[in-house]
Amino acid sequence: MSEDLVNITNSKTKEPLYIKTYGCQMNVYDSDKLEKILEKSHSIVDTPEKANLILINTCSVRDKPEQKLYSLLGKLQKLKKTNTDLRIGVGGCVAQQEGENIAKRSKAVDFVFGTHNLSLVPSLLKRVNEGLGQQVAVNYRDEWEDLPLGLSDKSRVSAFVSISRGCNKNCAYCIVPVTRGKEVSRDPKEIEREVKIAARRGAKEIILLGQTVNSYGLDFNPRMKFSELLDKISQVEEIKRIRFISPHPQEIRKDFFELVRDNEKICNHVHMPLQSGSSKILKAMNRNYKRERYLKIIEGLREHSPNISITTDIIVGFPGESQQDFEDTLSVMKEVKFDNCYSYMFSPRPGTIAENMEGQVPKEIMLERLQTLQTLQDEISIERLKSFVGKTAEVLIDGPSTFDSTKLQGRLSENIRLNFTKHYEDLSPGDIVNVAISGTSKYTLKGEVIR
């Protein structure tokens, strides 16, 4: 039998699978793992209407994604009336948090699996198909879950690789310790193998994931430094760029500045959450650093890497935030001049310290502050983009532009997106090219390849 015929035969025997992912990069990574786990029995389809198995990977960091889950389940319940073979599984952080309550609330759900139970999905599905009713698996694991190495067989320029799970920081607003448990570092040999698999499949950039990525290895005996892991990954020749999300300010020391400066594969970009520019609010958040400490870290980064791109996360309207506290946040933004800022209104999450704190800020005030903050950030981002015009930069090509199919798009080491005309037919995703930067749009740069 020819290889083409084998592939056609296999594709016919596989069940159609649709995965809907909400939330952070870790959820994207977990969805890829689910696809990998099921790849022998299922093939991905692009709409839920085509599927016999739908997996919803949920997020509970904020209230809105949780609302989206139940809205989606209401729509999917109608599909089950026309497709009696359809099975629906709910995973991710809401699943870990709510467990069997999801199954009780929605009869459309066949099984629920937690953040530590991806590997159980095939057996949960089997039990449902055997007529054993709704299934729930949300048990925590103290060790790293045994999952297949590598991701689904896709061509990708950038690949996420998880290096740790959970968090020990216990920030007052954060539900991650509840939904993903205590921090567990992954075996460095497994991480290396997964990086090498990604490289063999064409990845040129690795993005390391962890809730507090720079505390990697602190739970090992003997301890292992984050920098040691980065050195090992740097030795994979095919990998040209390394990023990581997100370092916690509490764990940053001088060697971190030197690491970013001296390892040529580490991108000239650090995403370091601020959350608030007020030391009073930072203390209430249990962030374990003050405003002055954060600014000192920024100073150290720029002393070692003067042109480094710095992005951040900020929460507006944390309980007790006064107008002065908010002004303190704006003043940090003006001083640091973040390249970009992911900003959100405070959303109380069940089981967190902040849920029942006094001084809850009215929603209309939060919304007004958020708009003010985002307007300021837009002004800063535009000026930052303009500073690149007239310069030449190395760009890793991602693929066709999402705005104009006649152009290609890629990213600078600073993680700034750039669109450029495709003058050369031999250019392809994964290539690194020199680009003369000629202009800006609202959030991206424009340029021409230099040959």
Side-chain angles (χ1 to χ4, degrees), residues 407-430:
K407 295 183 177 181
L408 292 172
Q409 70 179 19
R411 283 165 296 116
L412 282 64
S413 176
E414 290 81 2
N415 207 32
I416 296 171
R417 197 164 295 282
L418 183 144
N419 291 280
F420 56 96
T421 305
K422 186 178 180 181
H423 288 313
Y424 305 98
E425 292 303 320
D426 61 328
L427 295 180
S428 53

Side-chain angles (χ1 to χ4, degrees), residues 331-373:
S331 71
V332 171
M333 292 175 66
K334 292 172 184 175
E335 182 170 346
V336 175
K337 297 188 183 300
F338 297 107
D339 288 56
N340 199 1
C341 170
Y342 300 90
S343 52
Y344 316 93
M345 292 191 296
F346 169 72
S347 177
R349 309 312 299 130
T352 63
I353 298 170
E355 180 187 11
N356 298 311
M357 274 185 172
E358 294 182 0
Q360 300 284 329
V361 179
K363 187 172 182 179
E364 59 271 20
I365 294 178
M366 286 199 288
L367 182 59
E368 181 182 338
R369 289 176 183 174
L370 183 65
Q371 290 171 340
T372 299
L373 184 149

Side-chain angles (χ1 to χ4, degrees), residues 14-21 27-46 53-57 113 118-119 121-122 147-156 201:
K14 289 184 178 183
E15 290 287 317
L17 164 65
Y18 177 79
I19 302 178
K20 178 65 177 178
T21 307
N27 271 17
V28 173
Y29 176 82
D30 285 350
S31 290
D32 263 331
K33 282 295 184 187
L34 288 168
E35 188 177 340
K36 179 71 176 175
I37 290 166
L38 294 165
E39 66 181 356
K40 291 182 180 178
S41 57
H42 291 75
S43 57
I44 290 290
V45 294
D46 57 0
L53 174 61
I54 296 173
L55 300 179
I56 308 169
N57 195 355
F113 57 100
L118 276 64
S119 59
V121 167
L147 298 171
L149 285 174
L151 301 174
S152 54
D153 194 9
K154 297 175 183 175
S155 174
R156 61 186 86 209
R201 291 183 174 173

Side-chain angles (χ1 to χ4, degrees), residues 357-389:
M357 274 185 172
E358 294 182 0
Q360 300 284 329
V361 179
K363 187 172 182 179
E364 59 271 20
I365 294 178
M366 286 199 288
L367 182 59
E368 181 182 338
R369 289 176 183 174
L370 183 65
Q371 290 171 340
T372 299
L373 184 149
Q374 291 178 341
T375 298
L376 173 60
Q377 183 57 55
D378 280 348
E379 294 170 359
I380 294 170
S381 296
I382 288 168
E383 288 305 309
R384 171 65 167 161
L385 288 175
K386 286 179 179 178
S387 71
F388 284 90
V389 176

Side-chain angles (χ1 to χ4, degrees), residues 299-318:
E299 182 183 327
L301 282 168
R302 287 183 168 152
E303 280 179 2
H304 288 75
S305 307
N307 297 314
I308 194 166
S309 168
I310 299 172
T311 55
T312 197
D313 298 329
I314 293 176
I315 295 171
V316 168
F318 187 81

